[in-house]
Amino acid sequence: MIGKDLDIAKSLLENGEVVAIPTETVYGLAANALNPIGVSKIFKVKNRPSFDPLIIHCADAAAVERYVRQVPPKAARLLDAFAPGALTLLLEKDDRIPEIVTAGLPKVAVRIPNHPLTLELLHRLDFPLAAPSANPFGYISPTSAQHVSDQLGDKIPYILDGGPCSVGVESTIIGFEQEQVVLYRKGGLALEKIEALIGPVQVKAHSTSNPKAPGMLHSHYAPRIPLVLGKLTELLNVHADKRIGLISFSERFAQVPSEYQVVLSETGNMEEAARNLFAGMRRLDAADLDLIVAELIPEQGLGRAINDRLRRAAATPE
Ligand code: TXA
Ligand code: MG
């Protein structure tokens, strides 16, 4: 069922059930992070391997402090500046966080989502919510309640509808290795903004088997239909005999019917492009096409996260 009723969501979560929740980045599939049985249902519904840890979602910085051993000074400054927001921090976990949440790792991923409905829900609950993106493992993350319903609707009791996601790509994941700040996933908070606040960040988000973010397998976010990246005019020529879907940054192409074209932002706006990316990929993936062609966009701001998702979608499963 899809609805906006916080009481229903709250009572299901208190009873150890899973509920899909809106966030500003993507929809999450949530359960009581302190209840291992509830959390195990997330893995089952998503068909997610148990070695892939979950992010916990907290109402505010005080709640974050309750579930981690300590908040290093740079983490505190990031929380001050960017929470609630599209920022996830990897911090030493408190013993109350069950092993199933972190897949046995000593650190827990924590974030404060910037969505009014979910913040209200978190304030009303006396536990944090463990929540991965609300998609079957390996598929494109959902950015609307309908996306969640399309794939998981018959497997979960409730989808809390908070409208379309305002950011549209998953959170940026930041951790600390000794004194070094490390970025493990490019996301909805731009690297430039983080570096402007706390100085240089080491980017480790490119590896195909990054042990710090085991879920970042190269083929993540993959659509069903093959997706190739390159120069669009050339790709359209090479694949002229195929039924083609197209994802461009801002340009339209007369050769492709408009229903098979996703223009991420006509004005070349990165935020708008990020908002449109996953819905566009889903729309083309549902069409009767042989191939999706796409182009990378400038590697700056949210362009980094958009390009990362496009590259993962283009990678063949390992
Ligand atoms: O925007 C987001 O972050 C969304 C919304 C729902 O909050 N959530 C999300 O969760 O994208 P998920 O599970 O799809 O991606 C979380 C990533 C995974 O790649 C996971 O491996 C990594 O974070 N991760 C979680 N806990 C970790 C930990 N303790 N150590 C290392 N990586 C961790
Ligand atoms: Mg995910």
Side-chain angles (χ1 to χ4, degrees), residues 114-307:
N114 191 15
H115 191 288
L117 208 54
T118 291
L119 280 175
E120 171 72 26
L121 176 65
L122 286 166
H123 277 288
R124 289 204 212 166
L125 295 168
D126 56 9
F127 48 80
L129 292 174
S133 50
N135 51 285
F137 185 71
Y139 196 67
I140 306 159
S141 294
T143 52
S144 72
Q146 188 58 48
H147 292 167
V148 181
S149 177
D150 288 345
Q151 292 187 300
L152 301 178
D154 56 351
K155 295 198 172 86
I156 58 180
Y158 200 63
I159 300 167
L160 189 61
D161 186 356
C165 299
S166 60
V167 173
V169 290
E170 300 87 344
S171 60
T172 302
I173 303 182
I174 295 286
F176 305 88
E177 296 180 13
Q178 286 86 37
E179 290 307 292
Q180 181 64 53
V181 183
V182 181
L183 183 149
Y184 297 108
R185 178 173 71 183
K186 298 170 189 178
L189 175 62
L191 174 64
E192 290 89 338
K193 290 192 180 171
I194 296 171
E195 292 196 315
L197 184 76
I198 56 167
V201 171
Q202 190 186 349
V203 176
K204 288 195 182 175
H206 51 272
S207 164
T208 54
S209 57
N210 185 343
K212 283 289 183 329
M216 299 305 288
L217 304 172
H218 203 54
S219 64
H220 234 63
Y221 312 101
R224 207 171 37 87
I225 299 170
L227 184 149
V228 290
L229 287 171
K231 212 172 170 327
L232 291 173
T233 43
E234 282 170 20
L235 289 172
L236 287 175
N237 271 333
V238 174
H239 299 289
D241 57 331
K242 301 201 176 92
R243 291 167 304 170
I244 288 203
L246 179 145
I247 301 175
S248 73
F249 184 29
S250 56
E251 203 182 335
R252 265 186 197 288
F253 289 80
Q255 305 94 303
V256 179
S258 64
E259 73 245 56
Y260 301 144
Q261 278 196 60
V262 172
V263 180
L264 293 175
S265 167
E266 305 240 335
T267 58
N269 177 291
M270 299 270 185
E271 280 73 28
E272 184 181 26
R275 262 196 305 279
N276 289 330
L277 178 67
F278 289 159
M281 283 167 67
R282 277 175 184 263
R283 178 158 71 77
L284 295 183
D285 206 28
D288 192 17
L289 297 168
D290 300 318
L291 189 69
I292 300 169
V293 297
E295 65 180 351
L296 294 175
I297 75 170
E299 186 76 15
Q300 62 191 54
L302 295 195
R304 296 172 201 276
I306 293 169
N307 288 342

Side-chain angles (χ1 to χ4, degrees), residues 23 25-29 46 48 52-55 57 88 90 101-102 105 107-109 111 131-133 135 141 169-171 173 185 211-216:
T23 85
T25 58
V26 301
Y27 273 70
L29 183 63
K46 271 194 67 122
R48 180 176 174 114
D52 195 1
L54 307 178
I55 297 174
H57 297 67
T88 292
L90 287 177
V101 171
T102 60
L105 295 169
K107 289 187 180 169
V108 62
R111 94 178 191 90
S133 50
N135 51 285
S141 294
V169 290
E170 300 87 344
S171 60
I173 303 182
R185 178 173 71 183
K212 283 289 183 329
M216 299 305 288

